[in-house]
Amino acid sequence: MDVDAYVAAHNADWLRLERLINRGRRLSGTEIDELVELYQRTATHLSVVRSSSPDPQLVGRLSSLVARGRAAVAGAQAPLWRDVSRFATVSFPAAAYRMRWWWLGNAVLGNLLALALAIWIVHSPEVQSSIATPAEIREIVDHDFANYYTEHSAASFAFKVWINNAWVSAVALIFGIMLGIPTLFVLLMNQVNLGVMAGLMFASGKGSIFFGLILPHGLLELTAVYLACAGGLKMGWTVVDPGRRTRGQALAEEGRAAVSVAMGLVVVLLVSGLIEGFVTGWVHVTWLRIGIGVVAEAAFLSYVIILGRRATRQGETGDADLTPDLVPVSG
């Protein structure tokens, strides 16, 4: 390795790291991020120099700088609220926005499937009878469907719904690694259940009740499920076609982005669970129930579009904030 050329290429980073270390605790949040990144970069440089250069003076300089950088990093970590803020305003919306076409495709195709199934059920008494007996259907549409939202206390029901939906979304995301096949199954079962219930309710003249109870929480809940399925399917497609990246690198990047989506959906599904628990069965004015759901859905979509578009234009993908510093090595 040409030591002089290597020093010339990286000396500015080393000097900048030394200046940040010397400033101690007077660093701003941006400077703390820079300190951490330069420390990691310089540690990589030290490893390269040790393996490729016999120059003891350079090794000694970088060893001292890395040791001081390690001490500074240990004493100058960014506060937790900054990590949370960055996740909420950059990582999650960027990951969600980047998957927008997969997300939209799931929503369109999924709802077309549910609609087709509902229409089939409405116009086919034979299909209705294959689902349940007439007495059972009457019990479902006259009592069970509406009572489902009020048979438990609002708090316990909201918690139960939140855990269930979070689990379904996690399965859709995590098992995307299996070519997305389990993710497709999750999406299919979700839409079949929706279509069957819609068909039975409309066939019994209860369509307004169906929409009045589904829309308040269902808009946001289904949006979250479609996003989770988008992450799983995109990961599955990455296994098939990693693009210009190696398959391992592509899966690692998409996996980290999927983690961002999963963490964000925990909050989104909590909100939809609270609406389902405290609004759907307990607010008795239909327009108000639906209005709350529409506002929640519009707020979430605006959040993803505005912050996600801005973040992706800045090169964000929802991947980890810091990536390894790649340096040339001789050989």
Side-chain angles (χ1 to χ4, degrees):
M1 181 179 70
D2 187 335
V3 175
D4 292 336
Y6 197 78
V7 171
H10 300 292
N11 194 50
D13 285 342
W14 303 338
L15 292 175
R16 175 60 176 165
L17 175 59
E18 189 167 15
R19 284 194 294 271
L20 292 174
I21 292 171
N22 290 337
R23 289 190 58 188
R25 294 184 177 273
R26 296 173 295 170
L27 299 177
S28 67
T30 302
E31 288 173 328
I32 290 174
D33 291 341
E34 186 182 7
L35 170 64
V36 173
E37 183 174 358
L38 288 175
Y39 158 68
Q40 293 182 331
R41 188 177 299 171
T42 303
T44 302
H45 296 161
L46 174 59
S47 176
V48 171
V49 169
R50 277 177 170 165
S51 63
S52 306
S53 171
D55 189 332
Q57 184 176 359
L58 181 56
V59 171
R61 176 192 175 187
L62 293 182
S63 296
S64 174
L65 189 57
V66 167
R68 293 173 60 204
R70 184 183 303 115
V73 167
Q77 294 295 330
L80 178 61
W81 68 265
R82 292 189 65 251
D83 293 332
V84 174
S85 175
R86 187 181 192 284
F87 171 79
T89 59
V90 177
S91 300
F92 174 55
Y97 185 77
R98 193 167 62 92
M99 298 175 185
R100 61 191 182 279
W101 299 119
W102 293 83
W103 186 6
L104 180 61
N106 286 335
V108 171
L109 295 178
N111 281 292
L112 285 176
L113 172 62
L115 177 61
L117 182 57
I119 292 174
W120 185 34
I121 292 172
V122 168
H123 292 91
S124 177
E126 294 81 7
V127 175
Q128 296 172 32
S129 63
S130 70
I131 296 173
T133 65
E136 290 171 335
I137 291 176
R138 283 196 301 272
E139 184 67 21
I140 290 171
V141 300
D142 291 340
H143 303 288
D144 292 351
F145 182 71
N147 291 345
Y148 170 74
Y149 300 102
T150 57
E151 61 185 353
H152 301 290
S153 69
S156 64
F157 182 61
F159 180 76
K160 175 184 176 182
V161 167
W162 177 39
I163 295 300
N164 178 72
N165 290 335
W167 171 250
V168 170
S169 298
V171 169
L173 272 167
I174 294 170
F175 288 99
I177 194 69
M178 299 173 66
L179 300 181
I181 295 173
T183 303
L184 285 173
F185 180 77
V186 169
L187 180 62
L188 177 64
M189 289 299 98
N190 189 76
Q191 298 309 120
V192 166
N193 289 335
L194 181 65
V196 167
M197 186 54 65
L200 294 178
M201 293 292 288
F202 271 87
S204 301
K206 306 280 187 176
S208 60
I209 295 176
F210 173 79
F211 280 124
L213 292 174
I214 282 292
L215 290 179
H217 64 276
L219 289 171
L220 190 59
E221 180 182 299
L222 289 172
T223 297
V225 171
Y226 298 145
L227 177 54
C229 290
L233 291 175
K234 192 171 191 306
M235 190 184 303
W237 183 249
T238 299
V239 177
V240 177
D241 180 16
R244 297 182 179 180
R245 302 167 292 180
T246 65
R247 184 165 281 102
Q249 178 188 7
L251 282 174
E253 292 174 359
E254 295 301 334
R256 290 190 294 267
V259 169
S260 293
V261 171
M263 293 173 62
L265 288 183
V266 169
V267 179
V268 176
L269 289 170
L270 174 60
V271 174
S272 73
L274 291 174
I275 294 174
E276 188 168 358
F278 289 90
V279 174
T280 298
W282 300 100
V283 175
H284 301 299
V285 180
T286 302
W287 68 262
L288 180 57
R289 283 200 311 269
I290 295 176
I292 291 172
V294 170
V295 168
E297 173 76 355
F300 177 62
L301 293 179
S302 298
Y303 158 75
V304 170
I305 292 171
I306 294 171
L307 296 185
R309 179 188 294 164
R310 182 175 68 186
T312 53
R313 285 177 176 175
Q314 295 172 350
E316 299 288 344
T317 64
D319 196 356
D321 186 21
L322 296 176
T323 55
D325 182 40
L326 303 177
V327 297
V329 295
S330 61

